[in-house]
Amino acid sequence: MAALVLGVAHYIYQQGKHQWSRGVETYIVLEQIRRAERLPAADLAFLGDSSCLMGIHIPTLLQAFPGSDVESFCTIGFVGPDGYGAMLDKMIARGHQPRKLVLVFNPIQYERDPRWNEWANFIRTDHFEAPSSLSFPAGGLEYIRLLMERAVYNPLPGGYAVYYGGKDQFISTIWREHGSAIDPNRMLDIPSLQAYKATLPGHVFFKPDPKIKPYVMNAEFEMALLALSKSLSKFDRSKVYLVITPVNSLYAQGGPQSFHTEAGERIAALLGIDRSQFLDTPDMMLDIMYAHYPAHLHRWSRIIYTEELAKALADRGVLGSATDD
């Protein structure tokens, strides 16, 4: 009987396809693609890496610019500039392109690994699934495991399980917060923004750790930027803005002049956008403002950073004047 069940499961497995990867990163990418497909054109949209996903709080921008429609479709650094361009291409093809666009990069992704290009390829080709390849009985066992995963509560890993619980709760947060999410690996014990701000006095910037390598753009990253530039040729470049998200001072080897100012100017040039569209935002922030991952602000510091971003957007007239604090 067991052999018969495995045989049937293996047959079904061979006829179908399975998601090529599972985990938080995959959930992020697939859900942001779904949102980009289903939502109407926004006044302002963000495309970029997880420093944007976890560090730019869209509800704060909506509060700062009442009546504006703002959405984030930010994913992860693995997707990279080419992948962000692929998402923009799909928006344009459906007539859902935003009126204005902000591209967001953290210096941590400047040294791009060519193996990450698979993420962009999956987005461009819609191949989010891979052919079933396991032999009997492993294929049958895998199919049964996938059925169980769908049927039984399946918590996310580590701190994500503590804060969100399972996949569905994580996805619902992304939708509810207009494309934003929380890195849950720090400051969950602080009950409010005001309580967090009360902890900040006395904290200072750390000197950069000498073991940290400077952030330097490699050829792979620049090639990905050129691919994104081709996508921007279908968009009005005068309505494209650039943000380089801040670095934890502990990781700020090379100095902000290098990884923020000069790098931002280089990225703007490769994308064919004017230097004036590189928004003036903080280049470094305190270590206590970061979650576990060095590019992710935590739940409260992302609001502080977004308030600074709102001022930069208002100063450039991207969405009008931000409301007073």
Side-chain angles (χ1 to χ4, degrees):
M1 185 66 180
L4 176 62
V5 170
L6 275 176
V8 172
H10 181 70
Y11 174 78
I12 297 172
Y13 169 81
Q14 284 187 315
Q15 304 311 305
K17 294 183 176 183
H18 66 277
Q19 191 172 293
W20 68 279
S21 175
R22 289 179 295 275
V24 172
E25 292 89 354
T26 304
Y27 300 151
I28 290 167
V29 173
L30 294 183
E31 209 56 40
Q32 292 290 51
I33 290 170
R34 290 188 187 104
R35 293 181 66 256
E37 289 174 347
R38 297 176 187 178
L39 293 175
D43 295 323
L44 180 69
F46 290 80
L47 282 171
D49 57 34
S50 59
S51 72
C52 168
L53 174 79
M54 306 291 187
I56 294 177
H57 186 231
I58 301 303
T60 295
L61 292 180
L62 293 171
Q63 185 177 10
F65 302 102
S68 295
D69 183 9
V70 184
E71 296 289 343
S72 171
F73 302 105
C74 290
T75 52
I76 57 176
F78 292 151
V79 169
D82 189 8
Y84 313 147
M87 292 182 70
L88 178 62
D89 287 341
K90 289 176 179 290
M91 291 181 197
I92 293 171
R94 294 185 179 91
H96 291 182
Q97 69 269 25
R99 294 171 183 82
K100 295 180 181 180
L101 177 67
V102 178
L103 298 170
V104 184
F105 304 96
N106 187 269
I108 203 167
Q109 71 157 303
Y110 290 169
E111 190 171 340
R112 185 163 179 79
D113 189 318
R115 291 174 295 181
W116 301 348
N117 292 337
E118 284 303 309
W119 289 88
N121 294 338
F122 282 124
I123 294 172
R124 287 202 177 277
T125 61
D126 287 323
H127 290 167
F128 300 111
E129 297 175 322
S132 304
S133 59
L134 296 177
S135 59
F136 181 84
L141 291 170
E142 173 67 3
Y143 181 73
I144 292 170
R145 190 196 67 76
L146 290 171
L147 285 178
M148 293 294 291
E149 185 180 87
R150 295 187 185 103
V152 179
Y153 175 71
N154 185 35
L156 296 170
Y160 286 86
V162 174
Y163 183 76
Y164 293 104
K167 167 188 169 184
D168 291 344
Q169 293 91 330
F170 180 54
I171 288 172
S172 67
T173 298
I174 293 175
W175 278 87
R176 185 174 63 252
E177 296 211 341
H178 300 269
S180 300
I182 291 172
D183 186 321
N185 289 296
R186 199 176 187 184
M187 294 295 168
L188 294 186
D189 56 332
I190 304 295
S192 68
L193 178 60
Q194 291 71 26
Y196 171 67
K197 286 181 176 179
T199 71
L200 288 177
H203 286 278
V204 297
F205 286 121
F206 290 137
K207 291 182 179 179
D209 185 338
K211 297 189 294 294
I212 302 297
K213 294 197 310 182
Y215 299 106
V216 178
M217 280 184 273
N218 64 8
E220 197 70 35
F221 183 73
E222 293 195 348
M223 287 173 58
L225 287 170
L226 292 174
L228 172 55
S229 182
K230 290 181 181 178
S231 298
L232 292 179
S233 67
K234 308 167 193 174
F235 196 82
D236 183 349
R237 279 188 168 93
S238 70
K239 297 179 180 178
V240 179
Y241 300 88
L242 172 64
V243 167
I244 305 297
T245 48
V247 166
N248 184 332
S249 64
L250 190 62
Y251 293 81
Q253 195 64 263
Q257 179 66 26
S258 169
F259 61 70
H260 189 92
T261 306
E262 293 174 3
E265 292 172 351
R266 174 66 174 159
I267 291 171
L270 288 170
L271 295 179
I273 62 178
D274 192 83
R275 167 66 180 83
S276 65
Q277 290 156 242
F278 174 24
L279 298 180
D280 183 16
T281 55
D283 48 35
M284 290 193 306
M285 298 190 86
L286 298 166
D287 177 71
I288 197 172
M289 304 184 87
Y290 285 82
H292 177 70
Y293 188 67
H296 292 173
L297 298 172
H298 58 64
R299 65 188 301 190
W300 303 123
S301 56
R302 67 183 181 143
I303 297 175
I304 295 172
Y305 175 72
T306 304
E307 290 170 347
E308 292 299 313
L309 174 61
K311 293 174 184 176
L313 292 170
D315 288 345
R316 290 289 293 114
V318 179
L319 281 176
S321 298
T323 57
D324 294 333
D325 293 335

